[in-house]
């Protein structure tokens, strides 16, 4: 392996709180990029030196050498920056699927999301922008929130609010000319999810894909009866288990092309594998707010 990220779901798997677990004993890591070291005599289409990613992703990317069936590996363009190749599957692909699978969005529509500084959130902003879709973004109140706002605006965010800025009666009054959002993405839960429901247009849909605050979602009765909101969930692993392996690979090639062209970027920090303890502590939030940790082997 060349590089692999530490994602929240990797931590959840190790904690034993993720709904699926690899057979034990197991090595951590679910996505990443590797270089072919050696191939079996029957393998065609791959040679030593090629770059590959496990697609659909599979367990055990936090190690230097991995032996798996040829069908696991997807050969990618070696001109791709290594850190993007390592991280493209879980978060950028989730952003792409969520933008396409729930509401038929058209240019000029608006989406709203919390957890906008997450990798998924950063990808949602840029992929939406590519299709002329506005984004309203909610981030948590924390040190550095002004800088975070400026970074998201540079990626193409139309509006960025901290949760405390939205403690007003009429949040929709803050939107100016942007149309009310038809679709919302909830990464956080708790109050941040309630804010999405407040922004959504009549008949809108909120898709929950993460629970970073570990707080439940509270929905008012009127949100269902009078506003007719729909609440759904998204889980990439379920989507990929439904016969989507080939489709998944063409989407990954599309996303990696955007990364190579500089149209899709996100924040990460490369960490040497020798110091994985520090990277794990950072990924678990024990050292204050940190960018996505990408282990380099
Ligand atoms: N359902 C699926 O298929 C699927 C797929 C991909 C990802 N996910 C989930 O999506 C979420 C984001 O993943 P990621 O890898 O993109 O995240 P990430 O880049 O590691 O970023 C973490 C995000 O969570 C926020 N955050 C952290 N602790 C928080 C707290 N206590 N309260 C509120 N916000 C908090 C961070 O905000 P700050 O910037 O303020 O620190 C940041 O926006 C995770 O829950 C992950 O499991 C789900």
């Amino acid at each position: 392996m060349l590089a692999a990220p530490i994602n929240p779901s990797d931590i959840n798997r190790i904690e034993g709180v993720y709904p699926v677990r690899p057979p034990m004993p197991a090595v951590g890591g679910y996505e990443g990029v590797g270089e072919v070291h050696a191939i079996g005599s029957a393998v065609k289409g791959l040679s030593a030196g090629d770059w590959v990613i496990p697609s659909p992703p599979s367990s055990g990317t936090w190690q230097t050498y991995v032996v798996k069936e040829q069908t696991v590996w997807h050969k990618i363009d070696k001109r791709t920056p290594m850190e993007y190749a390592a991280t493209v599957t879980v978060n950028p692909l989730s952003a792409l699927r969520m933008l396409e699978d729930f509401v038929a969005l058209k240019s000029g529509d608006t989406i709203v999301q919390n957890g906008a500084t997450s990798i998924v959130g950063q990808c949602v902003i840029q992929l939406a922008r590519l299709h002329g879709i506005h984004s309203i973004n909610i981030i948590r109140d924390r040190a550095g929130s002004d800088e975070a706002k400026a970074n998201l605006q540079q990626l193409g965010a139309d509006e960025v609010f901290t949760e405390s800025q939205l403690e007003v009666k009429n949040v929709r009054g803050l939107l100016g000319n942007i149309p009310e959002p038809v679709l919302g993405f909830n990464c956080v839960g708790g109050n941040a999810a309630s804010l999405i429901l407040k922004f959504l247009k009549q008949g809108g849909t909120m898709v929950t894909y993460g629970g970073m605050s570990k707080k439940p979602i509270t929905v008012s009765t009127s949100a269902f009866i009078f506003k007719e909101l729909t609440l759904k969930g998204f889980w990439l692993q379920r989507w990929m288990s439904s016969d989507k392996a080939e489709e998944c690979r063409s989407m990954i090639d599309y996303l990696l092309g955007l990364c190579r062209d500089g149209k899709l970027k996100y924040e990460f920090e490369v960490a040497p594998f020798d110091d994985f303890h520090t990277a794990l502590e950072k990924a678990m939030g024990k050292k204050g707010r940190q960018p996505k940790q990408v282990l380099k082997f």
Side-chain angles (χ1 to χ4, degrees), residues 76-155:
I76 60 151
D77 189 327
K78 278 178 90 166
R79 289 169 301 172
T80 311
M82 186 190 295
E83 299 80 5
Y84 285 97
T87 52
V88 69
T89 314
V90 171
N91 294 312
L93 187 56
S94 293
L96 182 66
R97 289 306 352 125
M98 291 197 299
L99 280 165
E100 293 188 354
D101 287 352
F102 293 92
V103 171
L105 294 168
K106 49 186 188 324
S107 179
D109 282 344
T110 307
I111 61 100
V112 56
Q113 64 170 347
N114 60 33
T117 51
S118 68
I119 302 273
V120 176
Q122 294 177 59
C123 292
V124 162
I125 292 170
Q126 295 165 86
L127 294 172
R129 192 60 186 252
L130 279 175
H131 293 98
I133 295 158
H134 303 285
S135 67
I136 302 164
N137 299 277
I138 304 168
I139 62 174
R140 59 175 168 168
D141 294 87
R142 60 160 167 87
S145 59
D146 284 342
E147 194 189 338
K149 269 188 197 178
N151 289 341
L152 297 184
Q153 273 157 348
Q154 246 183 343
L155 293 181

Side-chain angles (χ1 to χ4, degrees), residues 137-200:
N137 299 277
I138 304 168
I139 62 174
R140 59 175 168 168
D141 294 87
R142 60 160 167 87
S145 59
D146 284 342
E147 194 189 338
K149 269 188 197 178
N151 289 341
L152 297 184
Q153 273 157 348
Q154 246 183 343
L155 293 181
D158 292 80
E159 295 286 354
V160 189
F161 301 105
T162 58
E163 286 184 44
S164 64
Q165 277 183 297
L166 298 173
E167 285 166 10
V168 293
K169 207 163 164 75
N170 178 18
V171 290
R172 278 168 280 163
L174 301 170
L175 290 186
N177 290 332
I178 302 177
E180 283 180 280
V182 286
L183 177 63
F185 300 131
N186 171 35
C187 165
V188 175
N191 177 54
S194 305
L195 292 171
I196 291 201
L197 298 174
K198 266 167 108 175
F199 266 118
L200 278 176

Side-chain angles (χ1 to χ4, degrees), residues 48-49 51 55 69 96 105 121-122 150-151 174 191 196 226 235 241 251 262 268:
W51 277 19
S55 174
E69 293 284 313
L96 182 66
L105 294 168
Q122 294 177 59
N151 289 341
L174 301 170
N191 177 54
I196 291 201
F226 303 121
W235 189 26
S241 59
M251 287 169 199
F268 49 74

